[in-house]
Amino acid sequence: QSLTNINSLLSKYPNIATLYGLQGNIFYLQKNIEKALQSYKKSESISPNLETQRMINKLESIRGGGEK
């Protein structure tokens, strides 16, 4: 349900970094590393944030590296 709500908000407000961060958190808790990483990267591209960058680094190390 949370993911549905976040996606609905993102369709209305696609430039709010916090929503992508929340979406990333949900995917992370679901152990969907790739989708979480995509969401965190989108959040970071809108509004750079140290904590978001830490999550990106963590997920990239979990999946064995990858593009920046």
Side-chain angles (χ1 to χ4, degrees):
Q1 181 67 35
S2 298
L3 193 54
T4 301
N5 291 339
I6 293 292
N7 289 337
S8 176
L9 288 169
L10 280 170
S11 70
K12 294 176 187 173
Y13 310 103
N15 295 316
I16 298 181
T18 303
L19 293 175
Y20 288 101
L22 292 171
Q23 183 185 54
N25 293 343
I26 294 167
F27 285 134
Y28 177 73
L29 292 171
Q30 294 175 341
K31 299 185 184 341
N32 190 333
I33 301 302
E34 291 302 318
K35 285 190 175 184
L37 194 52
Q38 289 173 4
S39 295
Y40 289 132
K41 284 183 175 183
K42 181 65 176 177
S43 174
E44 181 73 6
S45 74
I46 295 170
S47 178
N49 175 295
L50 184 59
E51 200 55 42
T52 303
Q53 187 58 54
R54 285 184 184 145
M55 282 304 294
I56 291 169
N57 293 342
K58 178 180 179 175
L59 294 179
E60 286 182 338
S61 71
I62 288 172
R63 75 170 192 180
E67 75 256 5
K68 233 4 188 132

